[in-house]
Amino acid sequence: MSLPDPKETSSAGFLFWLGSPALRADLRRTLRLGLPLIGAQLLQIGNGLVDAIVAGRIGRSELAAGGIGGSLWFVVSLSCIGLMAGLSPTLSGLIGQRRRAFVGAVFRQGLWLGLITGAVALGLLLLIAGNVHRFPFEPELPPLIRDYLLGACWSLPFFAIVMASRNVCEATNVTRPVLLVTAMGLLINAIGSMGLGLGLAGLPQLGVFGIGIATTIVNICMALMLLQLLRGKRFARFELFARFDRPRWDQIGPMLSLSIPIFLGMLFEAGLFVATSIQMGTIGLLEAGAHQIALSASAFCFMLPLGMSFALTARIGRASVMGHAAPVRLRVASGIILTLGMALTTASTLILFRYQIAGIYTADIELQQFAGSLLLLGAIFQLSDGAQIMLIGALRGLHDTRVPMLINAFSYWVVAFGFGVFCAHVLDLGAFGLWYGLITGLSVASLLLGLRLRYQLKRLSARQS
């Protein structure tokens, strides 16, 4: 199978003929790698849904406390996700260069980084739990939030190990087990949350503390399952557990140079949506409720391009180290086509079924109508939201993370938040103004990231010639 000519692809940009056998084959490979990761992302959302359902069965205060505690856990866990994200492109590069002897050594350093990161995250969440009474919550919420955090915080070191192991699976193109392990994790979480939260099957009824304990249990189980998987025959050639290595900062440092900007970029994005939700709360109760519905549905749709971006990072990471531009451009073209297809599908779904989607969350007709209006705006930013995460994935594969971090900081906080607040409060557009800001910021991010990727591809072509 022949790849498109580099000169032809350089002049044509990303536009390959759809009938190209090389492109069709690459689309199949990207889908084969990415679909399990998409499934794993969707199943991971299921854990939060299960916890919310169980907390709601206990009581209204427990539901609110579980939601707040889960949000705090997620924000802190971003350190485990972001700081481990440099492992996949690093390992992909080594595999692409056929330096298999170094893969195991780098992975073992990745485990050390995960343990350190998880321990720091654990300490931070314990600190938050000890000071949650200082937050301006309703009086009954701080003790419940503290209970949840004290149960869930011990999961963070194991969650970091899960992310390290998952990065190895992505880099080696072995992603189906990730889907299976995540599915098992969802089942374990459902049993643990219902058993310990509600006191079913003779287990003690621990309320939100039990739900937090279930989060710890599921991450311990997933970490053990993934580590056992990595000891199997499919990974034997990489000698992942050949020996015990002490931490080596000359290997951890390069990973951190990739990972820290990724982590900060994730914080910028998560912070934007938290800040927008807070702003929505100042506008009105109806607007805040509708915003949460529209944001939740949009986040579910976002899991599709997010999972595909992980696959793209690994595939471009392998191709880029060979110094040839054509294979990288081919993978970028596959990512663009798949992202466009997913964005059109999710946008159409949000438009056609917006009121039915809102009805899943609430029986309040007025709230359904308002949420349906916001879901129309959510449909609009499906393309830009999918494009920006796809472009970030491609740039990570090229080991470019610092400039994308700065682009995200500008696009999210100057454009999205700044313009959104201006539209909401100065132009008096209310909730719609904040969503106009989100759409504009994500569109600017997509444009700037696209220009950055174009620049990097031109550099790669220049080095090749």
Side-chain angles (χ1 to χ4, degrees):
M1 181 184 299
S2 60
L3 292 171
D5 180 76
K7 294 181 180 179
E8 179 184 347
T9 59
S10 178
S11 62
F14 298 136
L15 299 178
F16 295 95
W17 290 108
L18 291 178
S20 165
L23 180 57
R24 289 201 304 269
D26 199 76
L27 284 168
R28 288 193 295 270
R29 284 191 287 267
T30 304
L31 276 172
R32 189 162 53 246
L33 180 62
L35 285 176
L37 297 176
I38 291 174
Q41 291 300 125
L42 293 174
L43 288 172
Q44 200 163 340
I45 284 187
N47 284 318
L49 178 60
V50 167
D51 290 350
I53 291 172
V54 173
R57 291 283 301 275
I58 301 172
R60 183 180 297 179
S61 297
E62 285 78 4
L63 175 60
I68 295 169
S71 298
L72 291 170
W73 184 93
F74 172 72
V75 170
V76 174
S77 75
L78 284 178
S79 61
C80 301
I81 300 172
L83 293 179
M84 300 310 301
L87 191 56
S88 177
T90 301
L91 294 177
S92 297
L94 292 173
I95 294 170
Q97 293 172 331
R98 303 188 184 280
R99 299 170 64 192
R100 292 178 179 173
F102 295 90
V103 171
V106 172
F107 166 67
R108 291 189 289 274
Q109 296 305 311
L111 286 180
W112 277 115
L113 177 59
L115 289 172
I116 295 168
T117 301
V120 172
L122 166 62
L124 178 59
L125 206 58
L126 283 172
L127 181 64
I128 294 173
N131 291 275
V132 73
H133 61 281
R134 301 179 186 276
F135 289 66
F137 296 129
E138 292 297 321
E140 68 271 17
L141 290 181
L144 294 172
I145 297 171
R146 181 176 180 273
D147 285 346
Y148 174 85
L149 294 179
L150 290 178
C153 65
W154 309 102
S155 66
L156 289 168
F158 300 98
F159 180 68
I161 299 302
V162 168
M163 296 311 301
S165 303
R166 177 171 164 164
N167 272 265
V168 176
C169 293
E170 293 170 10
T172 55
N173 291 349
V174 183
T175 55
R176 289 184 182 179
V178 174
L179 176 61
L180 296 176
V181 169
T182 308
M184 288 295 297
L186 178 60
L187 177 61
I188 294 169
N189 186 61
I191 295 172
S193 289
M194 289 188 293
L196 295 173
L198 301 174
L200 301 180
L203 294 173
Q205 184 176 357
L206 302 177
V208 289
F209 178 68
I211 297 174
I213 289 292
T215 299
T216 295
I217 291 173
V218 69
N219 279 283
I220 292 174
C221 293
M222 288 178 63
L224 293 175
M225 284 188 284
L226 285 170
L227 289 175
Q228 185 61 33
L229 168 71
L230 296 182
R231 297 179 66 89
K233 293 182 180 179
R234 278 177 289 189
F235 299 92
R237 65 187 184 277
F238 300 118
E239 299 182 339
L240 300 176
F241 301 97
R243 60 181 180 274
F244 174 83
D245 292 338
R246 294 182 179 180
R248 292 187 55 182
W249 295 105
D250 60 322
Q251 293 183 2
I252 293 177
M255 277 191 285
L256 282 175
S257 68
L258 285 175
S259 299
I260 289 176
I262 295 173
F263 165 57
L264 292 176
M266 289 179 174
L267 274 184
F268 292 146
E269 184 174 9
L272 167 66
F273 287 102
V274 170
T276 302
S277 295
I278 293 172
Q279 282 293 313
M280 202 68 73
T282 66
I283 296 174
L285 186 60
L286 175 67
E287 289 83 355
H291 172 73
Q292 290 304 320
I293 292 172
L295 196 61
S296 176
S298 299
F300 185 85
C301 295
F302 180 68
M303 294 301 105
L304 276 68
L306 177 62
M308 196 59 67
S309 75
F310 295 146
L312 202 60
T313 295
R315 300 202 68 232
I316 289 179
R318 281 195 180 196
S320 64
V321 296
M322 305 306 293
H324 300 297
V328 175
R329 290 179 180 273
L330 187 64
R331 285 157 173 76
V332 170
S334 296
I336 290 175
I337 292 170
L338 292 171
T339 299
L340 179 61
M342 288 185 291
L344 291 175
T345 301
T346 54
S348 300
T349 302
L350 292 178
I351 292 171
L352 294 174
F353 302 103
R354 58 189 184 275
Y355 297 119
Q356 291 86 341
I357 292 171
I360 296 173
Y361 293 86
T362 180
D364 187 320
I365 300 300
E366 186 180 10
L367 189 55
Q368 287 181 17
Q369 294 293 322
F370 203 99
S373 301
L374 293 183
L375 282 170
L376 280 177
L377 298 180
I380 293 173
F381 79 47
Q382 289 302 301
L383 181 58
S384 57
D385 201 17
Q388 62 91 18
I389 195 61
M390 184 277 295
L391 292 165
I392 286 174
L395 288 166
R396 286 178 188 172
L398 295 170
H399 289 204
D400 184 6
T401 58
R402 294 185 182 181
V403 172
M405 175 197 68
L406 296 174
I407 288 174
N408 283 354
F410 170 76
S411 301
Y412 294 159
W413 283 98
V414 176
V415 179
F417 188 71
F419 183 62
V421 169
F422 176 78
C423 289
H425 299 291
V426 178
L427 300 183
D428 201 26
L429 295 176
F432 296 103
L434 292 175
W435 276 73
Y436 295 153
L438 292 177
I439 293 171
T440 306
L442 289 168
S443 300
V444 170
S446 299
L447 175 62
L448 295 178
L449 290 167
L451 293 173
R452 179 63 180 179
L453 180 58
R454 181 184 180 187
Y455 167 75
Q456 290 288 32
L457 292 175
K458 283 185 175 180
R459 286 187 61 191
L460 189 61
S461 297
R463 288 200 300 268
Q464 178 183 344
S465 59

